[in-house]
């Protein structure tokens, strides 16, 4: 169930019914999805009579029906604890709403002249019965009151089948204060914040201001952590686990992600390598905590509405897995009743992964790919080399700004220039697999046989970069770990000062007394202090630190590949992907002695690769075209397996010589006329509006004549395809190609003499949507935000250029032989 992809299921207006729920869940199941997460949102114009009030008896009955149906279909069910986002509703009173504080004049800042604002925002995208104030995210008492209507609804009609409660990313915009701030701060920090409000507002000597702001930020961090842990405990009492998106919060992200059972990141828009460490914070928290699953809100705004193809989705899924994700959640599929004309009900943000999104034809194949990869990535445990310290204190202890919230959109502001983030990027490039950890997890760490243990996983060293400011307790624990046998690496320098304001002079003395006891020996570019069974290593040379920790970096990056490694009792598992633009054919040293290759794009393509021994390393031959991926599994030395077949040309590509007949099938708005081609080009280049407006499927048919003896295998290369293709040879289905490269090795398929080849190509829905907007058809009928483009402006597809569609080629068929 969890190895399959899940989807967020937008219940527009909660205008759902039992028959449609059952029908759509069956569609999802048949397409290979493992579960849904219900999020009720705003409604559809003209369908008010179908809407159900959130948590009403009718709504709870439909929720219960959904739980029973997902259970029957062996699917899972998650539920947003509210409607839209973030937490809030009509029962949230003004005194429980989020609030902010600010001052016009920092020097005279006091509670008497503070600008305090309440009710800063209402629930975004709220469903009927869910509109209202957003809660104060720093108050457990407020959370308890917020959850009371849920308790009442559950008591009267307890629903079945729910796996998890879900909390979206921290979007409590503007919240930087809570009504109990004075007493909370005094309890947590040991002094009265109100006596230092000018410093909080930015007035005073830089170090003093930075220490006050650190304590203020750390207090909000701890209050929100307590808020989320209470929500988690509430969910547990009902028998559920939790999923939480920690990003966006003014918190230690490692601790916040770890406060839920399934930490969840998200990829928003593009897929830059520079953002990978940010996404990896969620999976890191799972690894140090010992959780199996790390999820991701997937494909949000990956492309414009109706323009994203499966090839783009594969690249995005591969990217998420490289960041440690192993539980993909589509974002998402809007509920759409059967009587709604195409394109049905839509969500304001792309990508629609449902039956009306233009991608459904090849969705079973895409979901099968996800399932194969995630069945591996959910096995065993993480296999990291280094733990990278997340220097929360160093980030928080800054005189700049006020609230410090870490979103997916401000990585460059807070993280990119910081040494810890630069070190993480550099370690990845060196081939070092790492996880982040926080001060709280440093405290939980133990050492065995020189390795650092957390959550049932182990690492070779703990790596600190940019930890100029550090809690005394953390430094004390680092020394304990070193004495127990750990390698503690400091990039460039040891910590310089302690956190916060209260009694900082006394704590500073304790820190420097600890550091002064370390006796370092110069060893070239490193300084080493032996301590008990372990050591403290300081160097500006990252490669030297990696070597000092006895880490063996992976070499696949140098060959042009990216990958992630796991392990179980049987050995190591690798997921490798070629995200570059050129093919790779190289021998790579991997951890182990004997291996299997498993092609995740094919159900049964498995074999023992060519290997060679170089010193004490086993090198495995990996051959991946641009865009391809591979699973590599370590197996026992004595395990028997068929050989993986590496192919090479056995002759020149065979000339086609025959024209292509193109016939249109399912799609719209109108099926174009059949035509023939001697040279392939997009069907959208044919004369006539019907060809340019059409979105759907077209079958390309031709024949090819082979000699008296056909080769045992051929490489069929379709060239450029817009956007997916089903291949039939002599009436038999042989391949579904939906991602680059659009190639397939066909064995024992062709016969001597004439062969009939049919290639059914399906394009995305962009051209049909553009036609609807040009002809002013009313399909954007949704309340509140309606439909917007990637710039959050009203979507107008009438100006879109015609998107090329069809089998574009060039198509080639090349005889092969085994190398």
């Amino acid at each position: 169930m969890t190895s399959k992809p899940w989807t967020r299921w937008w219940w527009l207006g909660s205008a759902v019914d039992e028959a449609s729920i059952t029908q759509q869940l069956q569609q999802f199941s048949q397409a290979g999805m493992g579960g849904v997460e219900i999020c009720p949102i705003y409604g559809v114009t003209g369908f008010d009579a179908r809407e159900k009030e959130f948590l009403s008896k009718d709504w709870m009955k439909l929720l219960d029906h959904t739980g029973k149906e997902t259970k029957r279909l062996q699917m899972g069910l998650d539920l947003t604890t509210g409607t839209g986002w973030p937490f809030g509703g009509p029962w949230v009173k003004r005194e429980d709403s989020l609030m902010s504080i600010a001052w016009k004049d920092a020097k005279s800042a006091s509670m008497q002249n503070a600008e305090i604002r309440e009710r800063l925002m209402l629930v975004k995208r709220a469903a009927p019965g869910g509109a209202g104030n957003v809660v104060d995210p720093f108050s457990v008492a407020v959370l308890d009151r917020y959850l009371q209507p849920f308790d009442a609804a559950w008591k009267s009609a307890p629903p079945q089948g729910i796996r998890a409660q879900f909390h979206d990313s921290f979007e409590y915009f503007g919240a930087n204060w809570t009504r109990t701030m004075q007493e909370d701060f005094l309890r947590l920090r040991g002094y009265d914040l109100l006596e230092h409000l000018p410093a909080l507002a930015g007035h005073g000597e830089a170090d003093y201001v930075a220490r006050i702001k650190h304590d203020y930020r750390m207090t909000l961090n701890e209050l929100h952590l307590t808020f989320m842990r209470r929500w988690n405990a509430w969910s547990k009492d009902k028998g559920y686990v939790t999923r939480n998106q920690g990003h966006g919060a003014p918190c230690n992200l490692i601790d916040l992600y770890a406060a839920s059972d399934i930490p969840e990141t998200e990829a928003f828009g593009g897929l830059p390598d520079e953002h990978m460490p940010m996404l990896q914070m969620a999976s890191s928290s799972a690894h140090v905590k010992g959780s199996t699953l790390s999820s991701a809100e997937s494909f949000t705004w990956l492309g414009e509405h109706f323009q994203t193809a499966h090839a783009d989705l594969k690249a995005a899924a591969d990217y998420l897995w490289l960041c440690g994700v192993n539980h993909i959640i589509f974002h998402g599929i809007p509920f759409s009743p059967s009587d709604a004309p195409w394109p049905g009900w839509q969500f304001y943000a792309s990508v629609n992964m449902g039956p009306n999104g233009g991608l459904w034809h090849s969705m079973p194949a895409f979901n099968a790919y996800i399932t194969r990869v995630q069945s591996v990535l959910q096995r065993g445990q993480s296999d990291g080399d280094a733990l990278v310290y997340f220097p929360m204190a160093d980030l928080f202890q800054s005189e700049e700004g006020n609230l410090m919230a870490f979103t997916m959109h401000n990585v460059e502001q807070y993280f990119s220039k910081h040494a810890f983030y630069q070190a993480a990027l550099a370690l990845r490039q060196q081939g070092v697999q790492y996880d982040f950890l926080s001060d709280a997890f440093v405290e939980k760490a133990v050492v065995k046989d020189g390795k650092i243990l957390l959550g049932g996983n182990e690492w070779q060293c703990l790596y600190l970069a940019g930890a100029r400011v550090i809690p005394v307790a953390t430094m004390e624990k680092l020394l304990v770990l070193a004495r127990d046998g750990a390698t503690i690496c400091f990039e460039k320098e040891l910590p310089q000062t302690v956190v916060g304001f209260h009694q900082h002079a006394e704590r500073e003395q304790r820190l420097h007394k600890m550091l002064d006891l370390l006796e370092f020996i110069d060893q070239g570019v490193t300084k080493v202090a032996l301590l008990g069974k372990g050591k403290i290593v300081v160097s500006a040379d990252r490669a030297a630190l990696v070597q000092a920790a006895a880490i063996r970096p992976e070499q696949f990056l140098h060959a042009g590949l990216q990958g992630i490694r796991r392990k179980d009792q049987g050995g190591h598992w690798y997921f490798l992907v070629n995200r570059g633009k050129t093919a790779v054919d190289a021998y790579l040293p991997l951890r182990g002695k004997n291996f299997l290759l498993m092609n995740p794009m094919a159900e049964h393509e498995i074999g023992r690769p060519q290997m060679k021994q170089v010193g004490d390393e086993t090198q495995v031959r990996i051959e991946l075209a641009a865009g391809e991926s591979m699973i590599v599994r370590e197996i026992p030395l004595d395990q028997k397996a068929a050989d993986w077949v590496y192919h090479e040309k056995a002759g020149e590509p065979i000339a086609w010589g025959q024209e292509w007949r193109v016939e249109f099938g399912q799609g719209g708005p109108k099926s174009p006329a059949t035509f023939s081609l001697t040279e392939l080009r997009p069907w959208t280049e044919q004369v006539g509006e019907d060809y340019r407006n059409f979105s759907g499927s077209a079958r390309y048919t031709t024949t090819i004549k082979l000699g008296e003896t056909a080769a045992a295998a051929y490489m069929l290369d379709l060239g450029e395809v817009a956007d997916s293709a089903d291949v039939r040879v002599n009436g038999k289905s042989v391949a579904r190609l939906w991602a680059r490269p659009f190639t397939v090795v066909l064995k024992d398929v062709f016969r001597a003499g004439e062969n009939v080849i049919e290639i059914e190509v399906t394009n995305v829905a962009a051209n049909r949507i553009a036609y609807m907007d040009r002809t002013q058809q009313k399909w954007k009928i949704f309340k509140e935000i309606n439909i917007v483009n990637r710039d959050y402006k009203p979507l107008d597809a009438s100006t879109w250029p015609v998107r090329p569609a069809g089998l574009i080629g060039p198509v080639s068929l090349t005889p092969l032989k085994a190398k």
Side-chain angles (χ1 to χ4, degrees):
M1 181 176 71
T2 53
S3 62
K4 297 177 181 180
W6 288 40
T7 186
R8 188 168 299 174
W9 197 14
W10 306 105
W11 278 15
L12 282 85
S14 294
V16 300
D17 60 89
E18 291 188 356
S20 297
I21 287 171
T22 296
Q23 179 192 27
Q24 290 179 40
L25 288 174
Q26 288 173 341
Q27 286 180 299
F28 300 164
S29 176
Q30 291 163 5
M33 295 183 187
V36 295
E37 171 222 311
I38 295 172
C39 182
I41 56 170
Y42 53 84
V44 182
T45 302
F47 290 87
D48 299 39
R50 298 190 187 184
E51 293 181 351
K52 282 82 177 177
E53 290 283 311
F54 182 59
L55 298 183
S56 66
K57 289 183 179 180
D58 287 343
W59 195 94
M60 292 298 294
K61 182 180 177 183
L62 290 165
L63 175 62
D64 185 59
H65 174 76
T66 305
K68 291 176 180 176
E69 288 297 272
T70 52
K71 185 176 181 180
R72 178 180 66 84
L73 294 167
Q74 297 183 327
M75 299 175 70
L77 173 62
D78 291 355
L79 178 67
T80 302
T81 315
T83 81
W85 59 90
F87 286 1
W91 59 90
V92 177
K93 297 179 181 179
R94 183 186 188 94
E95 56 267 28
D96 284 347
S97 65
L98 57 76
M99 63 184 303
S100 70
I101 193 168
W103 293 269
K104 289 183 178 180
D105 178 50
K107 185 176 181 180
S108 63
S110 68
M111 292 306 295
Q112 287 69 40
N113 60 19
E115 295 181 351
I116 297 176
R117 297 177 59 208
E118 298 178 322
R119 298 186 65 196
L120 295 177
M121 65 178 293
L122 302 177
V123 176
K124 293 178 67 176
R125 322 305 179 214
N133 293 326
V134 168
V135 302
D136 175 357
F138 305 116
S139 170
V140 166
V142 168
L143 175 66
D144 288 343
R145 288 190 286 274
Y146 171 72
L147 294 173
Q148 286 174 0
F150 295 87
D151 291 331
W154 258 245
K155 184 176 181 180
S156 61
Q160 300 184 34
I162 297 174
R163 177 190 71 160
Q165 293 284 329
F166 173 70
H167 180 272
D168 213 326
S169 56
F170 186 101
E171 296 185 31
Y172 299 88
F173 296 133
N176 68 2
W177 198 256
T178 186
R179 291 158 184 83
T180 57
M181 187 62 156
Q182 183 178 14
E183 50 264 44
D184 289 334
F185 190 95
L186 180 62
R187 171 174 53 86
L188 294 170
R189 305 275 83 83
Y191 65 99
D192 190 348
L193 176 62
L194 270 55
E195 297 177 3
H196 303 271
L197 291 180
L200 179 61
H203 175 72
E205 186 268 329
D207 182 70
Y208 165 55
V209 170
R211 291 182 183 278
I212 296 299
K213 288 189 175 183
H214 166 276
D215 290 349
Y216 158 77
R217 291 163 179 153
M218 192 60 70
T219 299
L220 291 182
N221 164 67
E222 292 176 21
L223 292 176
H224 186 60
L225 274 171
T226 303
F227 178 99
M228 294 308 297
R229 286 167 179 157
R230 175 66 66 88
W231 169 71
N232 183 279
W234 173 85
S235 301
K236 288 288 193 305
D237 286 343
K238 287 182 164 42
Y240 313 143
V241 298
T242 55
R243 283 175 37 230
N244 178 43
Q245 296 183 0
H247 45 277
C251 290
N252 188 314
L253 294 185
I254 306 303
D255 293 340
L256 185 55
Y257 281 124
S260 63
D261 300 288
I262 306 174
E264 180 162 306
T265 186
E266 70 174 285
F268 190 98
L271 311 171
D273 284 2
E274 294 77 15
H275 280 200
M276 281 183 160
M278 177 64 179
L279 271 69
Q280 200 171 334
M281 290 187 180
S283 60
S284 292
S285 73
H287 297 160
V288 298
K289 183 182 179 181
S291 299
T292 299
L293 298 177
S294 178
S295 57
E297 174 189 308
S298 306
F299 317 135
T300 309
W301 287 122
L302 181 62
E304 190 53 270
H305 287 281
F306 303 104
Q307 294 190 30
T308 304
H310 281 98
D312 307 313
L313 298 174
K314 179 186 182 298
D318 293 343
Y319 175 88
L320 289 168
W321 292 324
L322 293 173
C323 298
V325 169
N326 61 5
H327 188 24
I328 280 179
I329 315 286
F330 297 156
H331 184 270
I333 300 177
F335 173 91
S336 187
S338 57
D339 60 346
W342 194 89
W345 293 0
Q346 297 286 331
F347 182 61
Y348 79 88
S350 70
V351 175
N352 183 346
M353 304 291 286
N356 293 319
L359 295 164
W360 198 248
H361 180 78
S362 292
M363 195 60 69
F366 177 58
N367 290 342
Y369 171 70
I370 292 176
T371 301
R372 294 186 194 106
V373 175
Q374 292 191 161
S375 70
V376 169
L377 297 181
Q378 292 175 12
R379 292 177 66 94
Q381 59 197 112
S382 164
D383 189 28
D385 300 312
L387 286 164
V388 175
Y389 176 67
F390 182 51
M392 190 76 269
D394 198 83
L395 289 160
F396 271 178
Q397 196 147 304
S398 168
E399 72 274 18
E400 300 295 328
N402 191 323
L403 194 75
M404 194 174 284
F406 306 118
T407 76
M408 289 294 172
H409 310 291
N410 65 8
V411 173
E412 289 76 15
Q413 179 181 356
Y414 292 121
F415 288 167
S416 292
K417 296 179 181 179
H418 198 282
F420 93 94
Y421 201 85
Q422 294 173 354
L425 286 169
L427 289 172
R428 176 181 286 276
Q429 289 299 314
Q430 288 182 46
V432 176
Q433 190 161 297
Y434 65 87
D435 289 293
F436 293 109
L437 87 165
S438 62
D439 297 285
F441 282 102
V442 170
E443 286 296 321
K444 295 177 181 179
V446 297
V447 180
K448 183 178 180 181
D449 299 328
K451 295 187 177 182
I452 301 170
L453 275 58
L454 273 169
N457 298 308
E458 59 185 26
W459 294 262
Q460 289 286 107
C461 74
L462 204 160
Y463 193 105
L464 296 92
R468 185 187 64 86
V469 181
I470 198 168
V472 171
T474 297
M475 192 66 226
E476 289 173 336
K477 183 57 185 283
L478 292 176
L479 299 182
V480 170
L481 293 173
R483 292 189 187 96
D484 290 343
T487 299
I488 310 297
C489 299
F490 286 91
E491 187 177 293
K492 293 186 179 179
E493 61 182 3
L494 294 169
Q496 303 297 305
T497 189
V498 295
V499 302
F501 175 73
H502 188 54
Q503 299 178 344
H504 70 274
E506 294 90 332
R507 290 183 286 112
E508 196 101 344
Q509 289 181 354
R510 286 173 57 195
L511 174 67
H512 288 291
K513 185 175 181 180
M514 280 188 281
L515 298 179
D516 290 343
L517 293 176
L518 298 176
E519 298 181 359
F520 285 96
I521 303 170
D522 286 333
Q523 295 184 354
V525 296
T526 64
K527 294 192 302 181
V528 179
L530 300 178
L531 196 63
K533 299 177 183 178
K535 57 187 176 182
I536 307 287
V537 186
V538 181
S539 179
D541 188 321
R542 293 180 179 125
L545 290 172
V546 170
Q547 184 177 12
I551 292 172
R552 174 185 153 191
E554 297 287 0
Q555 300 300 310
F556 40 72
L557 268 168
H558 303 300
L561 303 179
Q562 295 186 42
I564 192 166
R565 185 184 67 246
R566 292 183 68 84
K567 64 182 179 182
D568 62 14
Q569 292 181 344
H572 294 92
W573 293 75
Y574 289 84
F575 171 70
L576 301 177
V577 59
N578 183 354
R579 297 182 67 225
K581 296 181 179 180
T582 59
V584 171
D585 186 355
Y587 280 90
L588 301 177
L590 300 178
R591 300 189 185 184
K593 295 295 183 184
N594 195 27
F595 297 92
L596 277 180
L597 300 185
M598 308 168 70
N599 180 4
M601 293 287 280
E603 191 171 356
H604 300 297
E605 197 171 328
I606 300 172
R608 189 172 180 271
Q610 293 177 6
M611 293 175 279
K612 64 182 181 181
Q613 201 69 22
V614 179
D616 63 347
E617 292 181 335
T618 299
Q619 297 191 357
V620 181
R621 184 178 180 184
I622 303 295
E623 191 178 36
L624 289 177
E628 287 186 329
S629 49
M630 184 68 69
I631 300 293
V632 186
R633 175 187 178 186
E634 183 184 358
I635 59 173
L637 283 170
D638 58 353
Q639 182 171 328
K640 304 293 183 182
D643 288 339
W644 183 269
V645 180
Y646 300 82
H647 291 99
E648 62 182 357
K649 289 183 180 180
E652 293 303 310
I654 298 165
W656 292 90
Q658 301 294 323
E659 69 178 13
W660 295 85
R661 179 179 171 84
V662 184
E663 301 171 276
F664 291 87
Q666 186 176 11
K670 179 182 178 182
S671 185
T674 299
F675 66 95
S676 296
L677 288 169
T678 55
E679 184 175 334
L680 289 170
R681 63 178 183 271
W683 78 54
T684 45
E685 293 184 6
Q686 290 293 112
V687 176
E689 286 293 317
D690 291 348
Y691 298 102
R692 291 189 285 275
N693 298 337
F694 183 77
S695 292
S697 298
R699 184 171 67 250
Y700 290 69
T701 305
T702 191
T703 60
I704 189 166
K705 195 169 185 178
L706 304 180
E708 294 183 1
T709 305
Y714 290 87
M715 170 70 78
L716 177 62
D717 185 344
L718 300 185
E720 185 179 350
V721 176
D723 291 284
S724 64
D726 292 344
V727 181
R728 297 173 66 87
V729 178
N730 298 323
K732 179 182 178 182
S733 179
V734 295
R736 173 167 286 180
L737 304 178
W738 49 269
R740 293 176 289 270
F742 292 94
T743 62
V744 61
V745 174
L746 300 176
K747 302 175 183 178
D748 302 320
V749 169
F750 293 95
R751 62 197 178 203
E754 189 172 82
N755 292 265
V756 178
I757 298 178
E758 300 169 280
I759 301 172
E760 184 178 286
V761 176
T762 304
N763 67 332
V764 297
N767 292 341
R768 187 175 179 182
I769 288 293
Y771 162 79
M772 294 182 72
D773 274 5
R774 286 195 301 271
T775 54
Q776 299 182 349
Q777 297 184 37
K778 293 184 178 180
W779 64 275
K780 290 172 279 189
I781 55 173
F782 312 105
K783 298 178 182 179
E784 197 178 315
I785 192 172
N786 209 341
I787 302 290
V788 295
N789 61 22
R790 293 182 74 182
D791 297 323
Y792 280 75
K793 301 293 192 299
L795 179 70
D796 179 10
S798 67
T799 61
W800 288 355
V802 175
R803 181 184 171 97
L807 181 60
I808 301 171
V811 176
S812 64
L813 185 68
T814 305
L816 302 176
K817 62 181 179 181
K819 290 183 182 179

